[in-house]
């Protein structure tokens, strides 16, 4: 799926007032990271809950936001998503998570990812099945939050997650293939490390092998970054695997992945 086409401003001060107003009302998607970071999620939450006739959820969710030790875009996003999940349970509201998962605003869809990823009733199979829709989202922000939201549960269920993600790695959708590696990066970005994969990166070898010559640069970047993560604790594994791939897969795609994979080792 293609990204949103509107380029967006290069800095927050350059965002037109009318655009920021539409973003905070949930009427349009953010066009880039600058806009994504500029959205006032509290204002957006109030507008969305008004729109959905659920304004009574606002104050309980805001309490969770105020109680955050550190307020960042990601922590607020998680607190709102988790808060909406709590309200859906308390009010026997079976529809709200599904509604916000299809909302026009990308930030609102991000909340739904956390509502899925923090639901203790879901098995890892159910959680990944629910999140796949968001993993394939056309918006970059929703795709990033989708793996962040379920990473903790993937880590707790690594073996079963590998079985599921191996199937995802064969998907026709490059976004879903990319999720298969990005969600299990040993070190990752903005997230806790997966200690087992730092020590035993070979556990994910079947998934990596399947994507070693993927046609999508989006996927290639993820695989290369995965191996670069692994190289910081297991350089032997990464060097050996790259050497093997050079022989069994002499393609430009694999060469690109190998270059990214070895960038820390070859500094």
């Amino acid at each position: 799926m293609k990204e949103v086409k509107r380029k967006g401003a290069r800095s927050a001060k350059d965002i037109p007032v009318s655009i920021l107003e539409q973003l905070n009302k949930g009427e349009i998607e953010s066009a880039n990271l600058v806009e994504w970071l500029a959205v006032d999620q509290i204002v957006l939450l109030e507008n969305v809950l008004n729109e959905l006739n659920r304004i009574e959820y606002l104050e309980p969710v805001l309490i969770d936001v105020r109680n955050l030790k550190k307020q960042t875009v990601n922590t607020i996003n998680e607190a709102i998503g988790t808060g909406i999940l709590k309200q859906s349970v308390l009010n026997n509201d079976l529809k709200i998570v599904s509604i916000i998962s299809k909302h026009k605003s990308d930030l609102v869809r991000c909340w739904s990812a956390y509502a899925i990823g923090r639901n203790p009733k879901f098995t890892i199979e159910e959680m990944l099945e629910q999140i796949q829709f968001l993993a394939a989202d056309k918006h970059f922000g929703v795709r990033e939050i989708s793996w962040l939201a379920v990473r903790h549960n993937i880590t707790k269920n690594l073996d079963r997650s590998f079985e599921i993600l191996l199937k995802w790695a064969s998907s026709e959708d490059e976004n879903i293939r990319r999720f298969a590696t990005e969600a299990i990066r040993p070190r990752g970005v903005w997230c806790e490390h997966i200690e087992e994969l730092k020590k035993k990166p070979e556990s994910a070898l079947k998934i990596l092998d399947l994507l070693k010559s993927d046609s999508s640069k989006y996927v290639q970047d993820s695989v290369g970054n995965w191996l670069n993560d692994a190289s910081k604790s297991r350089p032997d594994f990464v060097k050996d695997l790259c050497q093997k791939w050079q022989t069994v897969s002499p393609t430009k795609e694999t060469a690109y992945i190998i270059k990214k994979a070895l960038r820390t080792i070859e500094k």
Side-chain angles (χ1 to χ4, degrees):
M1 296 184 184
K2 294 182 180 179
E3 300 284 353
V4 284
K5 292 181 180 179
R6 188 169 54 81
K7 288 185 178 179
R10 292 187 176 182
S11 65
K13 63 181 175 57
D14 295 327
I15 300 174
V17 173
S18 60
I19 292 294
L20 191 58
E21 185 177 330
Q22 290 178 78
L23 288 167
N24 287 332
K25 286 182 178 179
E27 294 174 348
I28 58 172
E29 294 187 334
S30 62
N32 58 15
L33 185 59
V34 170
E35 289 188 358
W36 196 80
L37 294 170
V39 176
D40 187 328
Q41 293 189 77
I42 306 305
V43 174
L44 177 61
L45 177 63
E46 183 171 2
N47 284 327
V48 170
L49 291 177
N50 263 319
E51 169 198 335
L52 300 179
N53 296 314
R54 288 170 172 86
I55 196 61
E56 67 274 14
Y57 295 180
L58 180 62
E59 191 54 35
V61 176
L62 289 184
I63 290 173
D64 291 340
V65 174
R66 295 188 197 110
N67 286 336
L68 289 170
K69 291 181 181 178
K70 186 178 181 181
Q71 293 195 358
T72 66
V73 173
N74 284 341
T75 60
I76 292 172
N77 202 285
E78 180 177 356
I80 292 176
T82 306
I84 289 173
L85 171 64
K86 289 179 186 175
Q87 292 307 304
S88 71
V89 173
L90 288 171
N91 293 278
N92 196 29
D93 185 350
L94 304 178
K95 295 181 179 179
I96 188 167
V97 175
S98 176
I99 291 171
I100 64 174
S101 74
K102 301 175 181 68
H103 199 276
K104 186 178 293 185
S105 166
D106 54 283
L107 265 297
V108 177
R109 300 201 299 279
C110 287
W111 299 342
S112 76
Y114 277 115
I116 292 166
R118 295 296 179 266
N119 191 329
K121 293 184 178 180
F122 286 154
T123 63
I124 190 62
E125 291 87 356
E126 291 168 337
M127 190 169 288
L128 288 173
E129 182 181 356
Q130 291 286 322
I131 211 74
Q132 190 179 64
F133 172 71
L134 298 170
D137 198 277
K138 66 183 183 299
H139 194 277
F140 67 90
V142 181
R143 295 197 299 272
E144 290 305 302
I145 295 297
S146 70
W147 69 258
L148 276 171
V150 298
R151 182 174 164 93
H152 178 69
N153 286 290
I154 285 175
T155 302
K156 290 196 301 182
N157 300 275
L158 268 182
D159 289 343
R160 181 61 185 130
S161 296
F162 287 153
E163 292 175 9
I164 297 167
L165 295 177
L166 184 60
K167 296 176 182 176
W168 288 31
S170 295
S171 172
E172 292 183 2
D173 188 326
E174 66 178 312
N175 294 326
I176 293 175
R177 297 199 305 277
R178 189 253 189 179
F179 183 103
T181 47
E182 199 68 19
I184 56 169
R185 279 177 58 179
R187 294 172 184 267
V189 183
W190 310 321
C191 59
E192 293 182 8
H193 295 179
I194 301 178
E195 294 301 325
E196 183 174 337
L197 287 175
K198 285 166 67 175
K199 296 173 185 174
K200 294 179 59 181
E202 55 268 21
S203 300
L205 189 54
K206 287 183 180 179
I207 294 172
L208 297 171
D209 263 334
L210 203 56
L211 300 172
K212 66 180 176 293
S213 187
D214 197 275
S215 60
S216 165
K217 187 174 178 296
Y218 192 49
V219 178
Q220 294 165 24
D221 283 337
S222 183
V223 177
N225 288 334
W226 199 106
L227 290 169
N228 183 61
D229 282 355
S231 75
K232 295 170 185 176
S233 49
R234 285 288 308 279
D236 58 314
F237 167 79
V238 175
K239 285 190 285 188
D240 289 348
L241 182 62
C242 288
Q243 189 173 19
K244 176 185 174 184
W245 282 2
Q246 283 177 325
T247 302
V248 301
S249 181
T251 67
K252 67 180 188 299
E253 292 82 5
T254 302
Y256 177 82
I257 290 172
I258 289 172
K259 184 177 180 180
K260 289 190 75 72
L262 296 175
R263 67 183 185 271
T264 297
I265 292 174
E266 295 183 344
K267 270 186 178 179

